Amino acid sequence: MALTQVVTYRGFAARLVELGMVTAGRAAEELAAAADWRDPDAELPIDERPAALVELGAAVGVHTEDVGLDGPDLVDAYADILTAAAACSGGTVVVEDIAFTEQEDEDASGDWLLTFTRNGQPMSWTIDDHDEYLDTLSIFESINDLRPPGDVQRRFHRLSTSPGADQVYVLASDAQLAVITGELGLSLLA
């Protein structure tokens, strides 16, 4: 379906509420917060829509720039991804006990282990050592570990974003994704 109408930030948020991807309260909070720097009734450019999904809590942003050299910034960035992905579930996913440790195994030289609990269940992701950059491949391969348990309808999908922009993963069912990619004009990364 081709995009045939102007999409405003207010209209974008309202459509996500209609789809059940965002609560009305969250949409109202974000619209109020954005009013200082964005006209909510002006057109929301297509290249800003993935970030708007993140702002509204329907998606997770994965920073692709430098986040710090193996220090707290890197650990915090992974923790932010885990907690943001959990928040997309509307409370059905709880992430706790996040830890980031270098693997001791000589076959895993340079690899780190990101461990956490998801709803009390231990989970781990192997992270390649990228010094000050996030391991976006590991995130891509593992993000669906954070989809709501027992929910066979919704999963994380990576959206196409502008070159150099953060990666964005939206938690959506096929029906919700059809609206996002059709009516709202976004596309999936091929």
Side-chain angles (χ1 to χ4, degrees):
M1 175 189 300
L3 188 64
T4 59
Q5 62 186 22
V6 171
V7 175
T8 66
Y9 190 60
R10 185 181 313 280
F12 189 82
R15 192 64 174 113
L16 294 178
V17 170
E18 289 171 8
L19 291 169
M21 297 177 70
V22 176
T23 65
R26 174 70 186 255
E29 285 176 16
E30 291 302 324
L31 284 167
D36 289 340
W37 57 275
R38 164 186 284 163
D39 177 357
D41 297 311
E43 181 176 4
L44 180 62
I46 193 77
D47 63 335
E48 293 179 21
R49 293 178 194 175
L53 284 168
V54 174
E55 292 165 14
L56 290 161
V60 179
V62 175
H63 197 61
T64 57
E65 298 291 322
D66 180 339
V67 293
L69 183 60
D70 288 336
D73 292 343
L74 188 63
V75 174
D76 289 346
Y78 282 109
D80 289 347
I81 290 165
L82 294 174
T83 55
C88 289
S89 75
T92 62
V93 174
V94 177
V95 172
E96 298 175 306
D97 306 319
I98 301 167
F100 195 63
T101 56
E102 189 167 14
Q103 289 192 21
E104 304 276 331
D105 185 348
E106 63 188 51
D107 292 334
S109 177
D111 287 345
W112 292 78
L113 198 60
L114 178 64
T115 59
F116 55 97
T117 60
R118 180 188 132 216
N119 296 355
Q121 176 186 3
M123 309 281 298
S124 65
W125 294 357
T126 299
I127 304 294
D128 288 337
D129 186 3
H130 289 287
D131 292 328
E132 66 263 16
Y133 295 92
L134 295 171
D135 181 355
T136 55
L137 179 59
S138 289
I139 294 166
F140 173 78
E141 292 173 339
S142 304
I143 191 91
N144 274 300
D145 288 347
L146 299 166
R147 67 193 267 187
D151 187 340
V152 296
Q153 299 297 316
R154 295 184 300 162
R155 65 184 180 91
F156 285 97
H157 305 269
R158 184 165 166 210
L159 297 173
S160 179
T161 55
S162 301
D166 289 350
Q167 294 178 359
V168 174
Y169 293 88
V170 62
L171 179 64
S173 67
D174 289 345
Q176 292 166 331
L177 197 61
V179 173
I180 291 167
T181 58
E183 180 182 325
L184 298 178
L186 296 172
S187 58
L188 295 177
L189 185 67

